[in-house]
Amino acid sequence: MTGIVERRKHARIVLKGTAILLAGEHAVRARLINLSEGGFLASTLVTPPRRLLGRGADIELRLDDRLSQWIRLEGKIVRIANERVALSLTATPALV
């Protein structure tokens, strides 16, 4: 019997939205794959440079809903893969 240990601290939800990631002189447009209280995974048209790994990023995020507005967040790039990027959120606004 093998046990799988879940390393995530927060539940993920699958939804659609757009994110603009600003890290240093780089701006990357991305599509959300999933989102949690602690961060998100997004797909990109091009793989971001590996040198951005571990760097802070300003994030502009908007869900795909006609009433949705752009939200500004702060995060850290924690994983870069082929046309994907994962970020942990370091600062989020109060949404209520």
Side-chain angles (χ1 to χ4, degrees), residues 5-87:
V5 177
E6 178 60 51
R7 62 181 169 84
R8 295 182 174 134
K9 296 178 183 176
H10 307 287
R12 302 292 196 262
I13 56 171
V14 176
L15 46 76
K16 293 181 180 180
T18 299
I20 299 172
L21 315 174
L22 306 168
E25 67 279 2
H26 294 280
V28 178
R29 188 174 186 91
R31 292 291 298 163
L32 292 179
I33 295 173
N34 65 48
L35 177 70
S36 77
E37 183 179 338
F40 65 89
L41 176 65
S43 65
T44 58
L45 292 177
V46 296
T47 302
R50 299 277 310 159
R51 68 179 174 274
L52 296 181
L53 189 61
R55 294 202 41 195
D58 292 322
I59 303 160
E60 295 181 11
L61 182 117
R62 184 180 186 276
L63 300 179
D64 288 352
D65 181 277
R66 64 182 180 86
L67 299 177
S68 184
Q69 297 181 5
W70 287 97
I71 301 168
R72 289 185 175 262
L73 307 166
E74 293 176 16
K76 179 179 174 183
I77 299 171
V78 295
R79 189 170 67 248
I80 295 174
N82 291 337
E83 298 176 352
R84 290 190 174 197
V85 61
L87 289 95

